[in-house]
mmCIF file of all heavy atoms in Angstrom:
data_model
loop_
_atom_site.group_PDB
_atom_site.id
_atom_site.type_symbol
_atom_site.label_atom_id
_atom_site.label_comp_id
_atom_site.label_asym_id
_atom_site.label_seq_id
_atom_site.Cartn_x
_atom_site.Cartn_y
_atom_site.Cartn_z
ATOM 1 N N LEU A 1 253.678 31.514 -258.206
ATOM 2 C CA LEU A 1 252.924 30.473 -257.503
ATOM 3 C C LEU A 1 253.775 29.123 -257.657
ATOM 4 O O LEU A 1 253.867 28.300 -256.664
ATOM 5 C CB LEU A 1 251.659 30.254 -258.223
ATOM 6 C CG LEU A 1 250.732 29.211 -257.742
ATOM 7 C CD1 LEU A 1 250.019 29.541 -256.428
ATOM 8 C CD2 LEU A 1 249.629 28.726 -258.770
ATOM 9 N N ILE A 2 254.270 28.747 -258.891
ATOM 10 C CA ILE A 2 254.908 27.574 -259.017
ATOM 11 C C ILE A 2 256.281 27.496 -258.217
ATOM 12 O O ILE A 2 256.592 26.580 -257.656
ATOM 13 C CB ILE A 2 255.159 27.211 -260.610
ATOM 14 C CG1 ILE A 2 253.910 27.201 -261.317
ATOM 15 C CG2 ILE A 2 255.970 25.969 -260.735
ATOM 16 C CD1 ILE A 2 252.883 26.194 -260.762
ATOM 17 N N GLY A 3 257.036 28.652 -258.357
ATOM 18 C CA GLY A 3 258.279 28.761 -257.636
ATOM 19 C C GLY A 3 258.125 28.653 -256.145
ATOM 20 O O GLY A 3 258.938 27.903 -255.528
ATOM 21 N N LEU A 4 257.221 29.364 -255.602
ATOM 22 C CA LEU A 4 256.961 29.288 -254.135
ATOM 23 C C LEU A 4 256.493 27.951 -253.716
ATOM 24 O O LEU A 4 256.872 27.484 -252.557
ATOM 25 C CB LEU A 4 256.009 30.366 -253.709
ATOM 26 C CG LEU A 4 255.857 30.599 -252.232
ATOM 27 C CD1 LEU A 4 257.159 30.949 -251.584
ATOM 28 C CD2 LEU A 4 254.781 31.737 -251.975
ATOM 29 N N ASN A 5 255.663 27.352 -254.506
ATOM 30 C CA ASN A 5 255.167 26.016 -254.163
ATOM 31 C C ASN A 5 256.333 25.027 -254.111
ATOM 32 O O ASN A 5 256.302 24.106 -253.202
ATOM 33 C CB ASN A 5 254.055 25.514 -255.253
ATOM 34 C CG ASN A 5 253.324 24.378 -254.823
ATOM 35 O OD1 ASN A 5 252.869 24.274 -253.636
ATOM 36 N ND2 ASN A 5 253.207 23.394 -255.657
ATOM 37 N N LYS A 6 257.216 25.020 -255.061
ATOM 38 C CA LYS A 6 258.340 24.112 -255.126
ATOM 39 C C LYS A 6 259.307 24.428 -253.904
ATOM 40 O O LYS A 6 259.773 23.476 -253.193
ATOM 41 C CB LYS A 6 259.131 24.253 -256.385
ATOM 42 C CG LYS A 6 258.457 23.714 -257.665
ATOM 43 C CD LYS A 6 259.327 23.827 -258.847
ATOM 44 C CE LYS A 6 258.639 23.167 -260.046
ATOM 45 N NZ LYS A 6 259.471 23.333 -261.303
ATOM 46 N N HIS A 7 259.481 25.711 -253.578
ATOM 47 C CA HIS A 7 260.341 26.060 -252.547
ATOM 48 C C HIS A 7 259.819 25.500 -251.116
ATOM 49 O O HIS A 7 260.634 24.978 -250.382
ATOM 50 C CB HIS A 7 260.569 27.607 -252.401
ATOM 51 C CG HIS A 7 261.279 28.124 -251.281
ATOM 52 N ND1 HIS A 7 262.683 27.924 -251.208
ATOM 53 C CD2 HIS A 7 261.044 28.683 -250.177
ATOM 54 C CE1 HIS A 7 263.145 28.331 -250.090
ATOM 55 N NE2 HIS A 7 262.135 28.891 -249.371
ATOM 56 N N MET A 8 258.547 25.752 -250.903
ATOM 57 C CA MET A 8 257.995 25.248 -249.688
ATOM 58 C C MET A 8 257.952 23.762 -249.531
ATOM 59 O O MET A 8 258.140 23.220 -248.513
ATOM 60 C CB MET A 8 256.507 25.755 -249.548
ATOM 61 C CG MET A 8 256.423 27.262 -249.400
ATOM 62 S SD MET A 8 256.870 27.857 -247.678
ATOM 63 C CE MET A 8 255.342 27.366 -246.856
ATOM 64 N N LYS A 9 257.791 23.122 -250.709
ATOM 65 C CA LYS A 9 257.785 21.645 -250.732
ATOM 66 C C LYS A 9 259.171 21.114 -250.358
ATOM 67 O O LYS A 9 259.286 20.172 -249.507
ATOM 68 C CB LYS A 9 257.369 21.107 -252.090
ATOM 69 C CG LYS A 9 257.230 19.606 -252.222
ATOM 70 C CD LYS A 9 256.904 19.143 -253.612
ATOM 71 C CE LYS A 9 255.614 19.682 -254.113
ATOM 72 N NZ LYS A 9 255.221 19.104 -255.473
ATOM 73 N N ASN A 10 260.266 21.749 -250.877
ATOM 74 C CA ASN A 10 261.620 21.370 -250.559
ATOM 75 C C ASN A 10 261.973 21.755 -249.102
ATOM 76 O O ASN A 10 262.727 21.028 -248.455
ATOM 77 C CB ASN A 10 262.508 22.018 -251.516
ATOM 78 C CG ASN A 10 262.340 21.535 -252.942
ATOM 79 O OD1 ASN A 10 261.981 20.400 -253.194
ATOM 80 N ND2 ASN A 10 262.715 22.362 -253.904
ATOM 81 N N LEU A 11 261.514 22.920 -248.732
ATOM 82 C CA LEU A 11 261.849 23.334 -247.388
ATOM 83 C C LEU A 11 261.286 22.514 -246.274
ATOM 84 O O LEU A 11 261.931 22.221 -245.202
ATOM 85 C CB LEU A 11 261.271 24.828 -247.171
ATOM 86 C CG LEU A 11 261.662 25.540 -245.918
ATOM 87 C CD1 LEU A 11 263.169 25.774 -245.858
ATOM 88 C CD2 LEU A 11 260.987 26.880 -245.806
ATOM 89 N N PHE A 12 260.073 21.903 -246.442
ATOM 90 C CA PHE A 12 259.414 21.132 -245.478
ATOM 91 C C PHE A 12 259.342 19.658 -245.948
ATOM 92 O O PHE A 12 258.468 18.893 -245.620
ATOM 93 C CB PHE A 12 258.081 21.625 -245.182
ATOM 94 C CG PHE A 12 258.037 22.960 -244.531
ATOM 95 C CD1 PHE A 12 257.823 24.097 -245.244
ATOM 96 C CD2 PHE A 12 258.174 23.016 -243.163
ATOM 97 C CE1 PHE A 12 257.841 25.266 -244.565
ATOM 98 C CE2 PHE A 12 258.132 24.268 -242.525
ATOM 99 C CZ PHE A 12 258.001 25.408 -243.219
ATOM 100 N N ALA A 13 260.370 19.265 -246.828
ATOM 101 C CA ALA A 13 260.350 17.819 -247.317
ATOM 102 C C ALA A 13 260.388 16.794 -246.128
ATOM 103 O O ALA A 13 259.765 15.827 -246.187
ATOM 104 C CB ALA A 13 261.560 17.685 -248.297
ATOM 105 N N LYS A 14 261.245 17.120 -245.204
ATOM 106 C CA LYS A 14 261.349 16.144 -244.066
ATOM 107 C C LYS A 14 260.192 16.181 -243.015
ATOM 108 O O LYS A 14 259.957 15.294 -242.268
ATOM 109 C CB LYS A 14 262.753 16.299 -243.321
ATOM 110 C CG LYS A 14 263.858 16.061 -244.233
ATOM 111 C CD LYS A 14 265.211 16.188 -243.497
ATOM 112 C CE LYS A 14 266.403 15.899 -244.311
ATOM 113 N NZ LYS A 14 267.645 16.018 -243.577
ATOM 114 N N HIS A 15 259.531 17.437 -242.968
ATOM 115 C CA HIS A 15 258.370 17.542 -242.066
ATOM 116 C C HIS A 15 257.256 18.191 -242.707
ATOM 117 O O HIS A 15 256.947 19.319 -242.464
ATOM 118 C CB HIS A 15 258.922 18.453 -240.831
ATOM 119 C CG HIS A 15 260.142 17.944 -240.222
ATOM 120 N ND1 HIS A 15 260.088 16.917 -239.273
ATOM 121 C CD2 HIS A 15 261.421 18.363 -240.214
ATOM 122 C CE1 HIS A 15 261.328 16.634 -238.842
ATOM 123 N NE2 HIS A 15 262.162 17.567 -239.378
ATOM 124 N N PRO A 16 256.624 17.450 -243.638
ATOM 125 C CA PRO A 16 255.483 18.020 -244.396
ATOM 126 C C PRO A 16 254.370 18.515 -243.618
ATOM 127 O O PRO A 16 253.634 19.426 -244.005
ATOM 128 C CB PRO A 16 255.079 16.855 -245.323
ATOM 129 C CG PRO A 16 255.569 15.591 -244.616
ATOM 130 C CD PRO A 16 256.881 16.034 -243.916
ATOM 131 N N MET A 17 254.130 17.962 -242.408
ATOM 132 C CA MET A 17 252.932 18.358 -241.572
ATOM 133 C C MET A 17 253.131 19.740 -241.059
ATOM 134 O O MET A 17 252.176 20.467 -240.694
ATOM 135 C CB MET A 17 252.750 17.406 -240.388
ATOM 136 C CG MET A 17 252.393 15.955 -240.753
ATOM 137 S SD MET A 17 250.915 15.836 -241.703
ATOM 138 C CE MET A 17 249.774 16.364 -240.338
ATOM 139 N N LEU A 18 254.401 20.335 -240.950
ATOM 140 C CA LEU A 18 254.696 21.600 -240.584
ATOM 141 C C LEU A 18 254.459 22.661 -241.666
ATOM 142 O O LEU A 18 254.483 23.911 -241.452
ATOM 143 C CB LEU A 18 256.052 21.728 -240.062
ATOM 144 C CG LEU A 18 256.303 20.896 -238.736
ATOM 145 C CD1 LEU A 18 257.744 21.042 -238.260
ATOM 146 C CD2 LEU A 18 255.370 21.258 -237.610
ATOM 147 N N ARG A 19 254.286 22.276 -242.837
ATOM 148 C CA ARG A 19 254.259 23.142 -244.057
ATOM 149 C C ARG A 19 253.120 24.178 -244.025
ATOM 150 O O ARG A 19 253.399 25.349 -244.304
ATOM 151 C CB ARG A 19 254.162 22.276 -245.318
ATOM 152 C CG ARG A 19 254.231 23.088 -246.664
ATOM 153 C CD ARG A 19 254.187 22.024 -247.849
ATOM 154 N NE ARG A 19 253.991 22.805 -249.078
ATOM 155 C CZ ARG A 19 253.807 22.167 -250.229
ATOM 156 N NH1 ARG A 19 253.915 20.842 -250.275
ATOM 157 N NH2 ARG A 19 253.577 22.867 -251.378
ATOM 158 N N PRO A 20 252.016 23.870 -243.561
ATOM 159 C CA PRO A 20 250.938 24.909 -243.492
ATOM 160 C C PRO A 20 251.119 25.903 -242.376
ATOM 161 O O PRO A 20 250.382 26.917 -242.356
ATOM 162 C CB PRO A 20 249.683 24.082 -243.123
ATOM 163 C CG PRO A 20 249.911 22.668 -243.443
ATOM 164 C CD PRO A 20 251.397 22.488 -243.220
ATOM 165 N N MET A 21 252.026 25.721 -241.406
ATOM 166 C CA MET A 21 252.011 26.507 -240.169
ATOM 167 C C MET A 21 252.418 27.959 -240.419
ATOM 168 O O MET A 21 251.722 28.863 -239.977
ATOM 169 C CB MET A 21 253.044 25.985 -239.122
ATOM 170 C CG MET A 21 252.580 24.653 -238.552
ATOM 171 S SD MET A 21 250.854 24.711 -237.858
ATOM 172 C CE MET A 21 251.081 25.919 -236.618
ATOM 173 N N PRO A 22 253.386 28.265 -241.329
ATOM 174 C CA PRO A 22 253.736 29.697 -241.603
ATOM 175 C C PRO A 22 252.608 30.479 -242.221
ATOM 176 O O PRO A 22 252.229 31.561 -241.834
ATOM 177 C CB PRO A 22 254.874 29.703 -242.609
ATOM 178 C CG PRO A 22 255.450 28.282 -242.374
ATOM 179 C CD PRO A 22 254.426 27.386 -241.992
ATOM 180 N N VAL A 23 251.789 29.810 -243.139
ATOM 181 C CA VAL A 23 250.672 30.374 -243.753
ATOM 182 C C VAL A 23 249.525 30.579 -242.734
ATOM 183 O O VAL A 23 248.825 31.583 -242.656
ATOM 184 C CB VAL A 23 250.093 29.521 -244.910
ATOM 185 C CG1 VAL A 23 248.985 30.157 -245.569
ATOM 186 C CG2 VAL A 23 251.220 29.271 -245.942
ATOM 187 N N PHE A 24 249.361 29.642 -241.818
ATOM 188 C CA PHE A 24 248.343 29.762 -240.851
ATOM 189 C C PHE A 24 248.514 30.999 -239.916
ATOM 190 O O PHE A 24 247.683 31.641 -239.565
ATOM 191 C CB PHE A 24 248.357 28.481 -240.018
ATOM 192 C CG PHE A 24 247.354 28.512 -238.765
ATOM 193 C CD1 PHE A 24 245.969 28.480 -238.975
ATOM 194 C CD2 PHE A 24 247.735 28.694 -237.492
ATOM 195 C CE1 PHE A 24 245.096 28.488 -237.932
ATOM 196 C CE2 PHE A 24 246.912 28.782 -236.529
ATOM 197 C CZ PHE A 24 245.545 28.695 -236.670
ATOM 198 N N ILE A 25 249.776 31.133 -239.447
ATOM 199 C CA ILE A 25 250.247 32.265 -238.652
ATOM 200 C C ILE A 25 249.912 33.623 -239.338
ATOM 201 O O ILE A 25 249.364 34.508 -238.787
ATOM 202 C CB ILE A 25 251.663 32.121 -238.190
ATOM 203 C CG1 ILE A 25 251.911 30.986 -237.366
ATOM 204 C CG2 ILE A 25 252.164 33.426 -237.510
ATOM 205 C CD1 ILE A 25 253.356 30.582 -237.061
ATOM 206 N N ILE A 26 250.320 33.660 -240.684
ATOM 207 C CA ILE A 26 250.068 34.923 -241.420
ATOM 208 C C ILE A 26 248.599 35.143 -241.484
ATOM 209 O O ILE A 26 248.099 36.271 -241.501
ATOM 210 C CB ILE A 26 250.742 34.857 -242.830
ATOM 211 C CG1 ILE A 26 252.220 34.891 -242.649
ATOM 212 C CG2 ILE A 26 250.323 35.916 -243.677
ATOM 213 C CD1 ILE A 26 253.060 34.593 -243.868
ATOM 214 N N ALA A 27 247.838 34.000 -241.762
ATOM 215 C CA ALA A 27 246.351 34.149 -241.857
ATOM 216 C C ALA A 27 245.690 34.726 -240.707
ATOM 217 O O ALA A 27 244.643 35.432 -240.756
ATOM 218 C CB ALA A 27 245.645 32.744 -242.226
ATOM 219 N N VAL A 28 246.262 34.411 -239.468
ATOM 220 C CA VAL A 28 245.736 35.011 -238.236
ATOM 221 C C VAL A 28 245.852 36.462 -238.244
ATOM 222 O O VAL A 28 244.919 37.197 -237.882
ATOM 223 C CB VAL A 28 246.457 34.403 -236.989
ATOM 224 C CG1 VAL A 28 246.090 35.108 -235.787
ATOM 225 C CG2 VAL A 28 246.123 32.851 -236.880
ATOM 226 N N PHE A 29 246.957 36.946 -238.596
ATOM 227 C CA PHE A 29 247.270 38.437 -238.573
ATOM 228 C C PHE A 29 246.393 39.115 -239.640
ATOM 229 O O PHE A 29 245.794 40.246 -239.345
ATOM 230 C CB PHE A 29 248.737 38.724 -238.774
ATOM 231 C CG PHE A 29 249.556 38.494 -237.655
ATOM 232 C CD1 PHE A 29 250.326 37.335 -237.467
ATOM 233 C CD2 PHE A 29 249.652 39.472 -236.550
ATOM 234 C CE1 PHE A 29 251.092 37.077 -236.372
ATOM 235 C CE2 PHE A 29 250.488 39.130 -235.443
ATOM 236 C CZ PHE A 29 251.140 38.000 -235.285
ATOM 237 N N ILE A 30 246.288 38.518 -240.841
ATOM 238 C CA ILE A 30 245.431 39.042 -241.887
ATOM 239 C C ILE A 30 243.943 39.003 -241.394
ATOM 240 O O ILE A 30 243.163 39.993 -241.679
ATOM 241 C CB ILE A 30 245.622 38.293 -243.222
ATOM 242 C CG1 ILE A 30 246.928 38.589 -243.780
ATOM 243 C CG2 ILE A 30 244.565 38.737 -244.254
ATOM 244 C CD1 ILE A 30 247.313 37.888 -245.035
ATOM 245 N N GLY A 31 243.563 37.966 -240.733
ATOM 246 C CA GLY A 31 242.157 37.902 -240.186
ATOM 247 C C GLY A 31 241.882 39.028 -239.224
ATOM 248 O O GLY A 31 240.816 39.501 -239.154
ATOM 249 N N LEU A 32 242.943 39.452 -238.434
ATOM 250 C CA LEU A 32 242.762 40.513 -237.465
ATOM 251 C C LEU A 32 242.648 41.914 -238.045
ATOM 252 O O LEU A 32 241.875 42.724 -237.607
ATOM 253 C CB LEU A 32 243.896 40.333 -236.439
ATOM 254 C CG LEU A 32 243.812 39.204 -235.541
ATOM 255 C CD1 LEU A 32 245.008 39.213 -234.628
ATOM 256 C CD2 LEU A 32 242.550 39.185 -234.606
ATOM 257 N N TYR A 33 243.436 42.074 -239.091
ATOM 258 C CA TYR A 33 243.658 43.475 -239.571
ATOM 259 C C TYR A 33 243.089 43.664 -240.977
ATOM 260 O O TYR A 33 242.836 44.826 -241.408
ATOM 261 C CB TYR A 33 245.214 43.852 -239.628
ATOM 262 C CG TYR A 33 245.721 43.820 -238.261
ATOM 263 C CD1 TYR A 33 246.593 42.787 -237.837
ATOM 264 C CD2 TYR A 33 245.504 44.829 -237.280
ATOM 265 C CE1 TYR A 33 247.134 42.723 -236.562
ATOM 266 C CE2 TYR A 33 246.026 44.882 -235.949
ATOM 267 C CZ TYR A 33 246.826 43.767 -235.653
ATOM 268 O OH TYR A 33 247.430 43.731 -234.416
ATOM 269 N N PHE A 34 242.859 42.624 -241.833
ATOM 270 C CA PHE A 34 242.337 42.868 -243.168
ATOM 271 C C PHE A 34 241.570 41.446 -243.451
ATOM 272 O O PHE A 34 241.903 40.758 -244.441
ATOM 273 C CB PHE A 34 243.503 42.980 -244.113
ATOM 274 C CG PHE A 34 243.016 43.491 -245.459
ATOM 275 C CD1 PHE A 34 241.948 44.411 -245.548
ATOM 276 C CD2 PHE A 34 243.698 43.074 -246.591
ATOM 277 C CE1 PHE A 34 241.588 44.870 -246.889
ATOM 278 C CE2 PHE A 34 243.327 43.636 -247.849
ATOM 279 C CZ PHE A 34 242.249 44.458 -247.906
ATOM 280 N N PRO A 35 240.509 41.253 -242.802
ATOM 281 C CA PRO A 35 239.760 39.916 -242.935
ATOM 282 C C PRO A 35 239.186 39.691 -244.396
ATOM 283 O O PRO A 35 238.983 38.589 -244.760
ATOM 284 C CB PRO A 35 238.677 39.927 -241.828
ATOM 285 C CG PRO A 35 238.482 41.433 -241.557
ATOM 286 C CD PRO A 35 239.899 42.027 -241.749
ATOM 287 N N SER A 36 238.909 40.777 -245.122
ATOM 288 C CA SER A 36 238.400 40.587 -246.398
ATOM 289 C C SER A 36 239.300 39.834 -247.332
ATOM 290 O O SER A 36 238.800 39.282 -248.346
ATOM 291 C CB SER A 36 238.056 42.033 -246.943
ATOM 292 O OG SER A 36 236.992 42.623 -246.228
ATOM 293 N N ALA A 37 240.616 39.863 -247.042
ATOM 294 C CA ALA A 37 241.501 39.162 -247.918
ATOM 295 C C ALA A 37 241.516 37.670 -247.735
ATOM 296 O O ALA A 37 242.086 36.947 -248.579
ATOM 297 C CB ALA A 37 243.019 39.734 -247.699
ATOM 298 N N LEU A 38 240.840 37.218 -246.738
ATOM 299 C CA LEU A 38 240.826 35.744 -246.476
ATOM 300 C C LEU A 38 239.816 35.067 -247.368
ATOM 301 O O LEU A 38 238.963 35.715 -247.988
ATOM 302 C CB LEU A 38 240.516 35.496 -245.015
ATOM 303 C CG LEU A 38 241.441 35.904 -243.900
ATOM 304 C CD1 LEU A 38 241.044 35.678 -242.547
ATOM 305 C CD2 LEU A 38 242.863 35.356 -244.162
ATOM 306 N N GLY A 39 239.910 33.715 -247.560
ATOM 307 C CA GLY A 39 239.053 33.021 -248.327
ATOM 308 C C GLY A 39 239.110 33.328 -249.789
ATOM 309 O O GLY A 39 240.226 33.783 -250.280
ATOM 310 N N GLY A 40 238.015 33.189 -250.390
ATOM 311 C CA GLY A 40 237.989 33.603 -251.954
ATOM 312 C C GLY A 40 238.037 35.012 -252.119
ATOM 313 O O GLY A 40 238.538 35.568 -253.190
ATOM 314 N N GLY A 41 237.694 35.839 -251.102
ATOM 315 C CA GLY A 41 237.778 37.355 -251.224
ATOM 316 C C GLY A 41 236.500 37.895 -251.683
ATOM 317 O O GLY A 41 236.514 39.021 -252.292
ATOM 318 N N HIS A 42 235.338 37.260 -251.489
ATOM 319 C CA HIS A 42 234.088 37.820 -252.083
ATOM 320 C C HIS A 42 233.857 39.360 -251.628
ATOM 321 O O HIS A 42 233.347 40.134 -252.318
ATOM 322 C CB HIS A 42 232.966 37.005 -251.638
ATOM 323 C CG HIS A 42 232.981 35.589 -252.127
ATOM 324 N ND1 HIS A 42 233.934 34.719 -251.709
ATOM 325 C CD2 HIS A 42 232.197 34.861 -253.029
ATOM 326 C CE1 HIS A 42 233.743 33.531 -252.299
ATOM 327 N NE2 HIS A 42 232.714 33.601 -253.157
ATOM 328 N N HIS A 43 234.227 39.593 -250.308
ATOM 329 C CA HIS A 43 233.874 40.797 -249.694
ATOM 330 C C HIS A 43 234.771 41.960 -250.297
ATOM 331 O O HIS A 43 234.457 43.084 -250.206
ATOM 332 C CB HIS A 43 234.131 40.847 -248.158
ATOM 333 C CG HIS A 43 233.309 39.786 -247.407
ATOM 334 N ND1 HIS A 43 231.978 39.954 -247.387
ATOM 335 C CD2 HIS A 43 233.578 38.655 -246.828
ATOM 336 C CE1 HIS A 43 231.398 38.916 -246.690
ATOM 337 N NE2 HIS A 43 232.340 38.182 -246.422
#
């Protein structure tokens, strides 16, 4: 968690507004094929 957080922060240091985009794209695919994994995961 800490290592990936630092890496993403450095990777998008010049364009922080783009930082959520890779996760958003992955969330779309997970939402289509394994929606229970989204959110807190209550389901």
Side-chain angles (χ1 to χ4, degrees):
L1 181 77
I2 301 302
L4 188 58
N5 193 45
K6 288 182 178 178
H7 176 72
M8 291 286 283
K9 187 183 295 184
N10 294 333
L11 186 63
F12 292 96
K14 294 183 178 179
H15 305 285
M17 296 299 292
L18 298 179
R19 185 174 166 187
M21 292 308 297
V23 182
F24 176 75
I25 294 170
I26 292 175
V28 171
F29 285 98
I30 292 180
L32 291 173
Y33 298 105
F34 195 34
S36 297
L38 296 177
H42 298 68
H43 300 293

